[in-house]
Amino acid sequence: MGKKKQVASTPATAALDAAGISYVAHSYTHSDSAESYGAEAAQQLGVSGDRVFKTLMVSTGSTAAEDLAVAVVPVAAMLDLKAIGMALGKKKAQMADKAAAQRRSGYVLGGISPFGQRQHSRTVIDSSAQQFETVFISGGRRGFSLEIAPQDAAQATEALWAAITS
């Protein structure tokens, strides 16, 4: 899979380029009226929702702004907060505070990428990604996805594999 250069890079593409990891960039027109960023991406890209992955920030701390981590799950599935907590060595997790997620990642909601985040966070990718040759993950802005081999995504984020959907 070769790289397809886009006009503007993002911290996600810069991080993957620096690591020498191949991806294919896909842009689409984002609609402000979209109810689900992930479902919109799957529809716009013409790809099944089990192959397009959303990036969610979770907290394993006592508040939603502490001990943040990243969950990468199919847009067609729901994150299991107990499962991600256990994968991270905690009893459970909660969704991260939106402002804290944006500050830590350096991205806006709907465009959070697990790659090139402002601060490195522990990352867990749902094990279902391993069944595909490539998956689609946010490239760091709304309307921009990266097609990448799951093993390369895990390498780039130092991710754990776990079944984290319900």
Side-chain angles (χ1 to χ4, degrees):
M1 178 174 32
K3 288 183 195 169
K4 184 188 289 181
K5 292 292 181 185
Q6 62 282 349
V7 176
S9 82
T10 64
T13 59
L16 293 172
D17 289 344
I21 294 176
S22 294
Y23 60 89
V24 177
H26 297 273
S27 293
Y28 58 90
T29 303
H30 163 68
S31 170
D32 290 335
S33 64
E35 292 182 22
S36 165
Y37 298 115
E40 176 191 39
Q43 189 271 328
Q44 289 287 327
L45 296 167
V47 179
S48 169
D50 59 349
R51 200 169 148 218
V52 177
F53 283 68
K54 56 190 170 186
T55 306
L56 303 172
M57 298 291 292
V58 298
S59 167
T60 58
S62 58
T63 71
E66 297 176 351
D67 297 326
L68 299 186
V70 174
V72 181
V73 298
V75 301
M78 296 291 295
L79 174 65
D80 181 329
L81 293 170
K82 187 173 183 178
I84 182 118
M86 292 179 69
L88 294 167
K90 303 290 184 168
K91 286 189 178 189
K92 64 178 181 172
Q94 60 187 319
M95 293 305 297
D97 173 77
K98 291 176 182 179
Q102 291 182 119
R103 271 193 311 277
R104 179 155 183 130
S105 69
Y107 296 113
V108 299
L109 294 179
I112 294 179
S113 177
F115 314 115
Q117 290 198 356
R118 184 175 289 150
Q119 289 181 285
H120 177 74
S121 297
R122 294 174 298 159
T123 302
V124 181
I125 301 175
D126 186 68
S127 54
S128 67
Q130 295 174 301
Q131 69 183 305
F132 300 106
E133 188 175 319
T134 61
V135 294
F136 295 78
I137 300 175
S138 175
R141 67 176 180 259
R142 296 173 188 155
F144 184 59
S145 292
L146 302 176
E147 184 177 1
I148 187 169
Q151 295 298 335
D152 289 343
Q155 176 189 338
T157 58
E158 300 174 0
L160 304 170
W161 293 105
I164 56 172
T165 59
S166 56

